[in-house]
Amino acid sequence: MNPLNSLTSCCRNCRYYEPEGRRGGACQQLNVPVQGTWKSCSLASPAFTPSWKALQDLIQWERENLDRATAASLTPPDRSKAEMSLR
């Protein structure tokens, strides 16, 4: 577990939580209504996270997803032996 994420146990402690009215709020990251008492999601970030930490997490996430997409695109589709012999 990332030590910075351990501080964000519920939505109201997340930097993306914006209180609205008496009972709830909105998640600015997901653009959805949330309750402050809900367990935080995997995108949660503590309110006072250094800006470099959020950027570093985003870059790591992007690299992991690009690696998966690249590996999937490099996998050749299944072809029958007949198609291969025509070439």
Side-chain angles (χ1 to χ4, degrees):
M1 176 186 250
N2 191 340
L4 289 176
N5 285 345
S6 64
L7 299 174
T8 311
S9 59
C10 59
C11 288
R12 75 171 158 254
N13 296 330
C14 178
R15 78 178 330 154
Y16 302 112
Y17 177 74
E18 185 173 319
E20 292 179 356
R22 292 182 174 190
R23 299 186 182 176
C27 175
Q28 296 174 350
Q29 185 76 2
L30 300 173
N31 294 323
V32 295
V34 296
Q35 294 291 321
T37 57
W38 288 355
K39 183 179 174 187
S40 62
C41 68
S42 60
L43 300 175
S45 180
F48 300 105
T49 302
S51 59
W52 60 265
K53 180 62 182 158
L55 179 61
Q56 188 178 35
D57 289 345
L58 180 63
I59 291 170
Q60 180 182 355
W61 177 84
E62 185 178 45
R63 284 183 184 156
E64 289 172 359
N65 285 324
L66 283 175
D67 291 343
R68 289 182 197 144
T70 303
S73 67
L74 294 177
T75 304
D78 293 334
R79 294 191 175 142
S80 67
K81 292 180 183 178
E83 286 182 40
M84 297 302 280
S85 65
L86 293 175
R87 290 185 178 201

